[in-house]
Amino acid sequence: MKHRKWSWLAAGAGVALAVSAMAWVGQGEWTQASVEPSPAAVTSAGTLQAMAALPADAHVQFGEWRFEGPRNVAGAAVDITVDEVNGDLYTVSRENWIYRSTDHGKTWTAVHRFDSPRPIKRMVIERGATSVYAFYAITEPVEVYNGVTQHSLLRLRNSTGATQVLLPTYDVRDVVIGPQGVYALTDETRSDFLSSVRRTSDGGQTWTVLMDEQGTGRFAECSRLVRAGTRVLAGCFVRDYNYRYNAAVYVSESGGAFLPRWQNTFAESGDMSFDHLFAVSRSDPSVVYMSIDRYGKGGAYIFRSTDGGITFEKRADPTTGHVFNGALAGRFDLACTNSYQFSAMPTVLAVDPVDPQVVWTGDVDLYRSDDGGATFGRAWTDPAANTADYRQRKPHGIAFPVNYDAMNAREMLVATDFGIQGTVDARAAVEAAPPTTCTTPGSASSVAWVSRNEGFDSVYVAQAHVRDDGQVLAVFGPDNGGQNVAGNGLFYGDLASPAEWLQLSAAQPKVVLAEARSPEVFYTSSCGTARFCRWEWDNEMGRWELAASQASVVQVDGGVMVPDPSDPARFWGAHAATQSLLRSSDGMQSWQDAGYLSSGYPKFMAISPVNPDHAVVVSDMNTIHRRTDARSAVTGTRWESMYQVAPWESPWRARSVMYDKRDPNRVYVTGTAEPSVVTSRDGGATWQLADALGEVDGLPGRDTAGVAIHPDNSDVLVAGTSNGVYVTWNYSQASGQKWFPVAAPFGNTSIVQVAFRTDEQGARRLYVFTAGRGIWSIPVQAQRFFDVGPDHWAYGAIEALGAAGITTGCAEYPTVYCPEGPVARDQMAVFLLRVLHGADYKPPVATGVFADVPTGHWAAGWVEQLRREGITNGCSTDPLAYCPTREVNRAEMAVFLLRAKHGTAYTPPPATGEFADVPATHWAAPWIEQLAREGVTRGCVLEPKAYCPDSTVDRAQMAVFITKAFGI
C-alpha cells in the first residue's frame, strides 16, 4: 500500500466530522433506505433487498451498502459447526453474529445475531425436517453475586431471528442436540457439585430432569455434554461424602436418565479437573475421545472409548511419554522460558470424519494424532506468537465439510481468535516431536493454513479516524486488558485497499490524534511506560515508525486530547491529576494551565474549525462549557457552564462533541442516553435537543457515539448509535423532528463512528465503523436545498451553484434556496465575485463609494469591489448610486454576465435584431444577442423569438444563467 498525504476529517476520541466542499455525483441507480430489514433481506454482498421507502418528504436517498474491510484482519470466531444434512457451515463471532457458508467455508454470510449483552462461547444447531430450525448458544459467564458466575442459555429461532433466554435462574454450562430433544447441563448458581441435566422437546417451554445427584451420596460438577449415537454423555468431576474425587462420565440411553458409567481416580488431588472436552467419530459413533485437564498443573489427559462412552482408556498422559503430549494445552516453543504456556487446557478436540484413529486437539499450537491419541505431531504454530500472550490465534472449534473423504477432499476449518483458518490437506504430514522438551522439533508441518474470512466481517473497531483521502487510523478489538490477541491493536489502512491493513502496534491506545496540517505525523496514547508516542512516516523505509515517546501530565483517556485545526503545534488536554484544562503550543513538548470548568472535570472538547479562540468542553457533570477567548485562558480562568444536558446522577455521559465545518455556528454533543444528541446554532452559547425525549422522534435513546453531517446540507445528520444507524433531515424544525433507522447488512450492531467523505468518483459516501462487523459504506445523496428537489426544472444548475460554494441558500433551519425569489443588485454582486474568485473570497473593507450603500450595508464590500473591477458603474452618477435593492432584469443580467466573463474592456458586436422584443437600437441589444450567441440563453419565447428584457430574473433563472455562462 502506497503512502499518501493525509488531511484529517476527524480528530479526538469519539468524534466524527464529515465535511467536504465537493459536489456529489450520483453513481448508478438509487434505492431508498428503510426501517431495519429482516435477516433474510440481507445478502452476502451487503445489498439490501425489498427495502421500504422513506417518507415522501425525505430529502435524502441511500444507495447500496459496500463492505470496506478490513479484509486481511478478522475478529474472533468462537465456534464452528456443520449441518451434516445439507453441508452448510455455521460460525459465530465474539459479537454474537451467526455466519453461514454454503461453499464449504470459502465465503460467509451473516444471517442472524444473538440478542445478548454477553458474548457467545459455544453454539449448536437444531435441524428441522428441511433446514436449521434453531440455534442454541452458551454465553460467557457473568458475575451474579460475590464472585459467583453464571452462563446463560440462548435460543434463536431461524425463521424469525428472535432470541430467548432459557433456564434463566440456572448456570447453564453446555447444550447439545440429542435423542428426543435438546439437553442442557445446568448448575445451581449457589452450590458446587450440584450439576443436573435437563431435556426439552418443545423449544424450552418445559424441561425434564434427567440427572440430579442430590440425595445419592455423590456430588457431581459437570462441564460438557456430547451425543454419541443414541446416547448423550456428560463429563463430570465427582466427590463422595468422604471427599474422594474422581473424573466420571454419566450416560443417558435413548433420552433416559443419566447414570454414572465410568470413573477414574487420579494419583494426586492436584490432577483433578472440572473441565472436559468430547469428540465423537462421524464414521463410527462408538469411538469417543475425551480430554481432561490437570487443573492448574498444565497439560491434559486424552482418553478414548470404543464402546460409545461406557468405558475409557487413557491414551496420552502429559506427565510421561511423548514430548508433544505435555504441550497439548499450550505453546511448545515457550515451554523452557514460560511455563504458563502449559497451565491452560485444550480448547478443541475433534475426530477425523473418516478415520477414527485420527484426532485433533490443542490450545495455541494445534496437534494431530494418527494413532488414536497416543502420540501427537504439531500441525500449526503461530510464528508471531513466540513472545506473545498464549491466546494468539487460539482455536475455538474445528469443523470438516460433509464432502470430506480423506482422499480427494481433505478440507478442515478452525475457528480462531483471528477468524476462520482452513487447510485443503488435513492429512498432510505434521511436525514430528523432538527428543526432549527444550530442543527444536524435527521436520516442519506440511499442513498449510490460509485465512477463510471472505464475508466474515467480524472486526471490532474500537475507534477510527478518517482522512479525506480515505486513509484511516483505527484501533481494532475490544479492550483486552493489555493481552496481545490476534487481530487487535493499532492499524493503518486505506479505504481504497481494504485487504492491506497494517498493524502498527499490538497495543490498543486510548487516544489517536494527528497534527491538523501535518499529514506525516500522528500521536497515540498510552504506549508502554510513556503517556504519548509520536509516529512519523519514513519515506526511505516506506512505513510508519515510532519516532519518540514522552511522559506527560495529560490524562490519556476520554476525548479531551484534541489538536487545534488552525495550528499543527497546538494541542489541548486535561491534567491527569487536577483535571484542569491544559494547552500546548509546541507539539506537546510542554503544557500550560488553561483554566478550569465551573462544573465538573473535562471529558470531551472541540475547537472551532475557523476560530481557534472558540472552544466547547463537556464535563463529567454533564454540563457544556465554552469560551470565546480560549487561547488567552490561563491559570484561574473559569470556563462557564452554558447548558446542563442531564442531571449528574443520571446515566447520561458525553460521547462526543464536534463543530460543523460547513457551518461552525452549529455544534453537536452526543451521549450515552436520552437526549442522545443536543445541538447549538450559535457556536455553543445556547443549546436545544436534537433528540426528543422518548422514542416519539424515532431515535431509541441509546448510546450515540457521534454524528456525521452531510457535506451538501448541514440539516442532514446521521447518528451512529448502539442500535445501528439513524438519519434525520428535519431536526432543526420547531416541531415534528424525526429520526429514521437506516437498513443495513450489519443490522443493529453498535456503531463506533460515522463519517462522510467523497470517493474517487465524486460520490458522497457515509462510512460506518462498527463494533463487530468491520467497516461499511453507502452513497448518500442529500437534497442540498429543501425547496429544490430533483424534479425542479433548474435543479441541476442550483445544485451546481451550491456545490461550488457560490450560494448557501436564502435561509437556514432548514436550508432553502427560494428559487422563485427575485435577484437584487446587491445579491448579484456577491454571486459574480464568488464566481470569479472562488467560494472563500472576501472583498476589501468598504469605504462608502456609493451614496445608497453605506459601509454598514451587508453587501457594501462586494458592491464596491464589483465597481473596482469595472463590472458596474452603478445605476446613476449624480450622486453615484448603485440601487442595491432593485431587482435585476434580464437585460441587466446580460451585461453583468458578459462583463464579468470577458473583462471590462469587452464590447459585444453590433446587434442585428435577433429577438422580436429587443430591437437593434435597444441599449442592451448587443449584449443580449451575444449572450444568445454564446449559448447562455435562447430567450423567453421561441415563437416569435423573444427575450423579455424587462422581466425580473428570479433565483432559479439566475442559477441557469451563471452556470451556462461560466461552465459551472
Side-chain angles (χ1 to χ4, degrees), residues 815-826:
T815 303
V816 292
Y817 181 74
C818 308
E820 284 75 41
V823 179
R825 287 171 57 87
D826 51 5

Side-chain angles (χ1 to χ4, degrees), residues 739-765:
W739 292 80
F740 296 89
V742 179
F746 46 82
N748 60 351
T749 300
S750 183
I751 307 304
V752 174
Q753 183 141 322
V754 285
F756 278 105
R757 68 174 290 267
T758 303
D759 67 15
E760 292 75 10
Q761 288 74 43
R764 306 297 202 195
R765 297 195 75 89

Side-chain angles (χ1 to χ4, degrees), residues 581-598:
L581 285 166
L582 297 173
R583 182 178 60 249
S584 173
S585 300
D586 55 10
M588 296 197 287
Q589 297 300 311
S590 62
W591 295 88
Q592 297 80 44
D593 194 297
Y596 66 97
L597 303 187
S598 63

Side-chain angles (χ1 to χ4, degrees), residues 425-446:
D425 192 358
R427 298 298 291 273
V430 293
E431 183 179 31
T436 62
T437 300
C438 295
T439 56
T440 303
S443 58
S445 172
S446 297

Side-chain angles (χ1 to χ4, degrees), residues 76 125 174 239 241 268 276 332 507 565 573 617 619 761 846 878 918:
I125 58 175
D174 201 11
R239 69 172 173 83
Y241 285 127
E268 52 179 313
H276 297 66
F332 178 81
V617 184
S619 77
Q761 288 74 43
D878 189 15
V918 185

Side-chain angles (χ1 to χ4, degrees), residues 686-700:
T686 61
W687 294 82
Q688 65 186 61
L689 302 185
D691 168 28
L693 299 181
E695 296 190 22
V696 64
D697 64 345
L699 202 59

Side-chain angles (χ1 to χ4, degrees), residues 5 177 180 300 302 318 338 420 449 456 531 548 563 621 715 771 787 797 803 820 828 887 891 895 943:
K5 290 186 178 292
I177 310 301
Q180 302 181 27
I302 303 295
N338 187 352
I420 308 299
W449 300 93
F456 185 67
R531 285 186 174 269
M621 298 290 284
D715 283 327
D787 57 348
E820 284 75 41
M828 197 67 208
E887 296 172 0
V895 180
E943 189 62 40

